Amino acid sequence: MRRFRHLSVLKWALGFAGVWLVVVLVVGVVVQLAGADSAPGASPLECGRRLSSVSGERLTLRSVRVVVALDEEWREQFGDRSESVARSLVSDVSGLYRDIGMYFLPVRIADWSSPNDLDSAEELLVDLNDAIPLDDADVILAFTGQELPDVDGFAPVGGRIAVIGHHRGSPERDVLVLAHEVGHLFGAHHGCDIPGLAGVMAASGFEDPLVVCPCTREILEANVARFHED
């Protein structure tokens, strides 16, 4: 009799444990399904940095005033076309970002004697900061004919100066590099929150380079409020 009582208790315990196991499994499935509905990858604040407290408002087109700086190597490569080539690149990137609420307005062209024998692209930023004043401009977009060490271009997140290297025989690549570095100036980090896409802020490569991913777009739209309303 005692043996049967023990068996009965054991069956009850196993049944109780089974019920809890089913509950745990169901909760796990629900959590996974909820996660699948949200965009995977970095959240907006993880793939960028807010430089302005303004967000969520209706977009107003704002101008970003640009100093276009050209070094001697750039001018050697393009000769009489130096300024028109640089302006065309700025115009192309301006078109990409226009529906985010900003466009680039060159206010002047500046000559720039860039240092040689570089150890890093950051050295060019230091030189530009000392050599070319912003004055009435918002950012400096500097074009160099030098081959940059290990990078195609360079700009600090939330900075005011971007350096873009020229790629011989590939003007399209110059546009993509400029678009990427401008993204950094407006607070965007590397990454995309759409699975399978790289986007304009990809850390390397040029897959889907004209795609502005949602998380990047949110950061740019918030930060463009720093600039002038037209």
Side-chain angles (χ1 to χ4, degrees):
M1 187 75 178
R2 183 177 299 174
R3 180 181 177 186
F4 289 120
R5 186 177 301 167
H6 288 165
L7 288 173
S8 180
V9 170
L10 180 60
K11 288 180 180 180
W12 178 88
L14 289 174
F16 184 77
V19 170
W20 274 106
L21 179 60
V22 170
V23 170
V24 170
L25 290 174
V26 169
V27 169
V29 170
V30 170
V31 169
Q32 285 186 342
L33 290 175
D37 290 336
S38 60
S43 71
L45 289 182
E46 289 173 334
C47 72
R49 178 158 66 90
R50 292 189 184 275
L51 309 171
S52 165
S53 61
V54 179
S55 63
E57 298 181 354
R58 183 177 62 84
L59 288 183
T60 301
L61 191 61
R62 298 173 188 268
S63 61
V64 180
R65 298 171 183 166
V66 175
V67 175
V68 177
L70 309 177
D71 73 357
E72 63 274 31
E73 286 86 0
W74 180 274
R75 289 194 177 275
E76 283 179 12
Q77 289 188 31
F78 291 103
D80 294 340
R81 299 173 51 243
S82 299
E83 295 184 9
S84 63
V85 170
R87 284 182 180 274
S88 178
L89 291 172
V90 173
S91 176
D92 287 344
V93 172
S94 185
L96 174 65
Y97 285 121
R98 197 175 183 90
D99 71 331
I100 294 174
M102 61 181 170
Y103 70 96
F104 304 113
L105 179 64
V107 294
R108 69 180 186 275
I109 302 286
D111 286 324
W112 166 43
S113 181
S114 60
N116 298 314
D117 301 321
L118 300 172
D119 292 322
S120 68
E122 290 93 328
E123 294 176 33
L124 295 180
L125 293 187
V126 173
D127 186 73
L128 282 160
N129 189 61
D130 294 336
I132 300 178
L134 276 169
D135 291 336
D136 59 340
D138 302 302
V139 299
I140 297 172
L141 302 181
F143 296 87
T144 177
Q146 293 194 57
E147 184 175 344
L148 300 178
D150 303 321
V151 295
D152 294 303
F154 183 80
V157 173
R160 296 290 195 181
I161 303 173
V163 176
I164 297 88
H166 172 55
H167 304 86
R168 292 178 183 272
S170 182
E172 297 84 3
R173 185 160 178 160
D174 289 347
V175 173
L176 303 180
V177 171
L178 177 57
H180 178 97
E181 302 308 334
V182 163
H184 283 317
L185 295 184
F186 284 85
H189 292 169
H190 292 150
C192 181
D193 53 344
I194 298 179
L197 285 181
V200 69
M201 295 310 299
S204 62
F206 291 92
E207 297 177 13
D208 318 304
L210 298 182
V211 174
V212 182
C213 298
C215 109
T216 300
R217 178 180 291 272
E218 182 172 335
I219 291 297
L220 297 180
E221 288 178 352
N223 293 337
V224 73
R226 293 187 297 165
F227 297 99
H228 317 278
E229 184 175 327
D230 290 354

